[in-house]
Structures are given as structure tokens and as C-alpha cells.
Amino acid sequence: MEVILQKGKGRRVEDGHPWVYGNEIEHINGNPQTGDIVSVYNFRKDFIGKGYINTLSQITVRLLTRDADETIDKSFFRNRLFSCRAYRETLGYTTNYRLAFGEGDMLPALVIDKFADVYVMQTLSAGMDKWKNIIAEILLEDFHASGVYERNDVPVRTLEGLTEHKGFLSEPFPTRFVMEEEGVRFHVDLDAGQKTGFFLDQKDNRLAIAQIVKNKSVLDCFTYTGSFALFAAHFGAASVQALDISADAIRMMQANAELNGFKQIEGICANAFDVLPQWVKEGKQFDTVILDPPAFTKNRKGIDNAIKGYKEINLRGIRLVKPGGFLATFSCSHFMDVNLFYDTVAAAAKDAGRTVREVQFLNQAKDHPVVWGVQETHYLKGLILQVL
Ligand code: SAH
């Protein structure tokens, strides 16, 4: 079955992007069903690649290979997952890491996180969803997984005509356990935690705060399970205020603090958009402020509001930093690209009337590889700034 692109379309796909949009297609030969493997050609009939199709989705084809002779079957996925693991092992990952990062690993719409010998999976498109049991088998047979869990309770699946679902793809096993990262212990809840249970993408950035928290007063805003707050305590912070709007998050953060015996962390359950301005008014300040807000937008339409949200939070956050102190600020929305992120934080600093110096630019961890030309793979970015 073949998909022929229109003249003038397909350049992006030929240059390496894996997505073919419905409005780029001239013709589909052979009546493929949802999830079937099709070959994609440009208008000159030059082969571009093979992937799975879903005519219900705006992203109609997602390419899996550029090799016309490669068959998409169980051994294709096994080989791909072996290279995913080889890349991570080369970079020093051993126990807990993202094994597959979708388009970043040429496995579109597939996310797999590994926590020791337990794997959590998301198949976010109809074409990838068809393979989920095969992929679980590979993890059990070839990766010696003790269990595989599916966290497909993600709204984006509805764009693909899929339902939201979570559950075991192996024999049942305990989905709550304790994991350790660089000497800090965390409760992980694969079933009830956000996304796949723990934000592995901030791993390098948790280490990057080491020097700016020692003996300092720290605010960790949007703490969730307290990952930055705990690392701040681990690196010797004098006091840490960990803030989140969700009472559940604060409870998880507190349980994690207890697990590690950290006494200097205080949980605050509040809306950052209310509390930060209030603290600014009261003249409260911290040596170091960490801002790791949610994406604020999951689509391009919401970008203006998201920019407003980021600017507001950064403006307040900057004002809460003592002169000479530090701000670590993040955005996990890929719509907020690097330039927009810099511009927004710069505008916030300007409105706050503070001069900032860039200490370090931060990125998503290396087990979430960014593929050049596939901008959607770059979502998490951050800055450590000194606020003068
Ligand atoms: N820093 C965390 C991840 C943060 S996820 C980590 O490293 O694991 C974003 C968090 O922001 C969620 O826990 C969510 O409950 C919280 N949140 C969302 N809106 C908020 C608001 N207006 N005020 C405070 N917290 C908020």
C-alpha cells in the first residue's frame, strides 16, 4: 500500500521528519486500514520511507524506517529497542531511565520508562498501539522485565480514535515501590503518578542545582513529588519551601522527605499565581528560587496564554530572589521554543527591574534525545540565572 505526496510537499519528511500530514497527501493506493504499514513516495515516486497510517489523524503517517527493504515486525521492534538501550548504556544509564522516547528514537508515539526491571509504556497513536502487546513481549523475553505496565490514560490518544486506558501488560506486580536516584530515594507510583510515575527528564537538572542551594534558603515552586526540593536538601540547603497546588503532591513530597530523613523541607499547598504575588508584597525573599511549572499549553492555540503564565510566574519568581541569589526556571512545553523561552524570561526580568546573568542553559536529560529537524522532540529547557 502506497501513499503519494503532493508536488511541493514532503520536503520536511524527506529531510528527516517522521510525520506526514493528511493535507500533504495526493493519493493513497490500496485502501489501508488504521495501523497498516504503508510506503510513502514523493510526487516523483521516489521512496521516502515506511510507516503506519491512520486516516482519522491529522498526522496521517508516522514513518518507522527509511529503508525500503526493512520489514516492520517483531524483530524490527526488538532491534530498535536494543539500539535504544545501547545508546543509554553508552551514556552511562544503568537502572532508571527512559528506554524509548518516541520520535527521538525513531519509534513514533512510543514511550517506555524503565525503573530497575519494571517497564512503563505509552502507545500514543493507533499505529503504535497495535504493537503494544508485541513490545511488552519483547520487554519480558529479551529485556528480562519482571513486569510491564501501560499508562495510556492520556487524552492525546483520542485524536487517534483510541480510548484512555491503564493496566498490566504482564502478570500483575506491585506498582508502588521506592527508587533511588543519585543517593536520593523516591516513592514511585506507576498507576497513580503523573505521566509514567516520575519525571526522569529533569535528572541532570536536579544535579545542576547542587552549587546554588548549599546552605541557602530555597523555594521549589511546582514541586510535585518534591524532586528538586529533595535534591536541594540532599545538597545541603538550609531550608526548603516546596509549593504545589495539589494536596496529593504535597503529601507525596512529604512522604519522600520522610523517606530520606530530610527535616528542612516545608510543604505548602497553594496556587502559585496567588501566593507568589502575595509574598512579593510582603517582601519575602529566598536565596534560590526553582520554577518548574506544568506545560500551560498542549497546543499552539494556547501559546499566548502560556506565555502570559510563564512570564507572570517568572516575574514573581525573580522578585522573590535576594540580590545575588539564583533562579532555576524551566518550561516543558515544546511550543515554548528556546528563543521564546529566553524572550519570556528576559521580559519578566525587565519588568521585575532586575539584571540577570546567565549561569547555565539546561536541557532535557540525554535519555530524551532531541533529533535535529524534529523540533517536537525538544520540549524541556531551563536556565540557571543569577539575579543581581
Ligand atoms: N518539579 C516537578 C514536576 C512539576 S509538574 C518534578 O521535578 O517532578 C507541575 C506541578 O505543578 C504539578 O504537581 C501540579 O500540581 C503543579 N501546579 C499546577 N498548577 C499550579 C499552580 N497554579 N500553583 C502551584 N502548583 C501548580
Side-chain angles (χ1 to χ4, degrees):
M1 287 173 286
E2 294 164 351
V3 169
I4 318 295
L5 301 187
Q6 292 166 24
K7 190 172 174 184
K9 303 280 176 180
R11 199 54 220 244
R12 186 180 38 83
V13 188
E14 284 180 88
D15 285 348
H17 201 287
W19 296 353
V20 176
Y21 291 101
N23 62 11
E24 296 172 324
I25 295 174
E26 177 72 40
H27 190 65
I28 301 178
N29 290 330
N31 193 25
Q33 303 302 300
T34 299
D36 281 353
I37 301 297
V38 296
S39 295
V40 177
Y41 295 84
N42 66 15
F43 77 102
R44 285 197 208 87
K45 301 280 168 68
D46 302 322
F47 175 80
I48 302 178
K50 266 192 214 177
Y52 55 75
I53 191 165
N54 182 358
T55 50
L56 281 177
S57 170
Q58 273 183 30
I59 308 170
T60 306
V61 183
R62 298 185 200 227
L63 296 184
L64 290 160
T65 179
R66 308 237 165 208
D67 177 353
D69 299 325
E70 193 161 35
T71 309
I72 309 302
D73 55 10
K74 186 170 179 178
S75 69
F76 165 85
F77 283 99
R78 185 186 294 116
N79 292 337
R80 275 292 162 86
L81 291 174
F82 281 157
S83 10
C84 287
R85 181 171 62 185
Y87 165 80
R88 272 90 184 157
E89 287 180 347
T90 299
L91 293 174
Y93 290 93
T94 53
T95 314
N96 307 311
Y97 56 83
R98 177 153 293 191
L99 172 68
F101 177 55
E103 279 71 358
D105 281 299
M106 290 78 185
L107 286 167
L110 175 67
V111 173
I112 305 174
D113 282 349
K114 164 178 159 32
F115 297 102
D117 55 358
V118 159
Y119 291 77
V120 198
M121 204 163 107
Q122 295 179 317
T123 44
L124 302 175
S125 66
M128 194 52 91
D129 199 57
K130 265 183 79 167
W131 294 93
K132 79 178 176 197
N133 289 309
I134 302 274
I135 293 166
E137 267 173 39
I138 296 169
L139 295 173
L140 291 162
E141 291 163 7
D142 300 294
F143 287 70
H144 311 292
S146 68
V148 183
Y149 199 74
E150 165 185 13
R151 275 305 296 271
N152 273 329
D153 50 330
V154 193
V156 71
R157 277 172 53 102
T158 55
L159 301 175
E160 290 274 328
L162 298 167
T163 55
E164 292 183 36
H165 179 73
K166 57 182 177 178
F168 294 100
L169 292 171
S170 66
E171 291 298 312
F173 61 91
T175 51
R176 293 164 70 165
F177 50 84
V178 169
M179 67 164 259
E180 193 180 302
E181 184 185 274
E182 308 289 332
V184 181
R185 283 149 55 84
F186 291 90
H187 291 286
V188 177
D189 188 337
L190 297 187
D191 177 67
Q194 288 190 40
K195 296 204 210 167
T196 60
F198 188 73
F199 290 118
L200 296 165
D201 52 6
Q202 287 281 26
K203 180 174 175 176
D204 300 347
N205 304 334
R206 289 189 271 270
L207 300 180
I209 64 165
Q211 290 82 15
I212 60 164
V213 295
K214 195 169 168 45
N215 300 323
K216 310 274 191 210
S217 59
V218 177
L219 168 64
D220 175 20
C221 194
F222 308 98
T223 193
Y224 182 42
T225 60
S227 89
F228 281 104
L230 266 77
F231 270 87
H234 176 68
F235 290 130
S239 67
V240 184
Q241 314 259 287
L243 187 146
D244 204 285
I245 199 167
S246 146
D248 273 347
I250 294 298
R251 267 195 293 277
M252 291 188 280
M253 181 284 292
Q254 276 160 341
N256 284 331
E258 254 166 57
L259 185 64
N260 291 276
F262 295 140
K263 303 251 185 295
Q264 68 273 57
I265 307 178
E266 186 195 353
I268 300 165
C269 185
N271 186 339
F273 287 94
D274 299 333
V275 166
L276 268 49
Q278 191 190 318
W279 285 349
V280 170
K281 233 189 247 160
E282 292 167 6
K284 192 164 173 162
Q285 288 198 312
F286 300 86
D287 295 315
T288 296
V289 172
I290 299 164
L291 302 172
D292 183 23
F296 290 144
T297 181
K298 296 257 186 250
N299 54 52
R300 204 166 291 284
K301 269 192 242 135
I303 189 72
D304 286 341
N305 273 334
I307 293 170
K308 263 193 216 147
Y310 282 116
K311 182 171 166 203
E312 168 73 11
I313 282 299
N314 279 282
L315 170 63
R316 309 300 172 185
I318 289 169
R319 287 200 162 134
L320 287 174
V321 179
K322 285 184 193 162
F326 294 91
L327 175 77
T329 182
F330 298 93
S331 164
C332 60
S333 168
H334 93 81
F335 295 104
M336 193 77 178
D337 64 29
V338 175
N339 291 329
L340 196 51
F341 179 60
Y342 268 93
D343 289 349
T344 306
V345 179
K350 186 164 172 253
D351 282 10
R354 304 286 289 274
T355 298
V356 294
R357 298 204 293 189
E358 182 168 332
V359 179
Q360 196 180 356
F361 177 77
L362 302 169
N363 243 320
Q364 61 210 51
K366 297 183 273 297
D367 53 347
H368 296 59
V370 175
V371 180
W372 285 10
V374 189
Q375 61 165 60
E376 293 82 0
T377 57
H378 194 191
Y379 69 106
L380 177 64
K381 58 221 83 75
L383 283 166
I384 294 183
L385 301 172
Q386 189 186 28
V387 184
L388 302 175

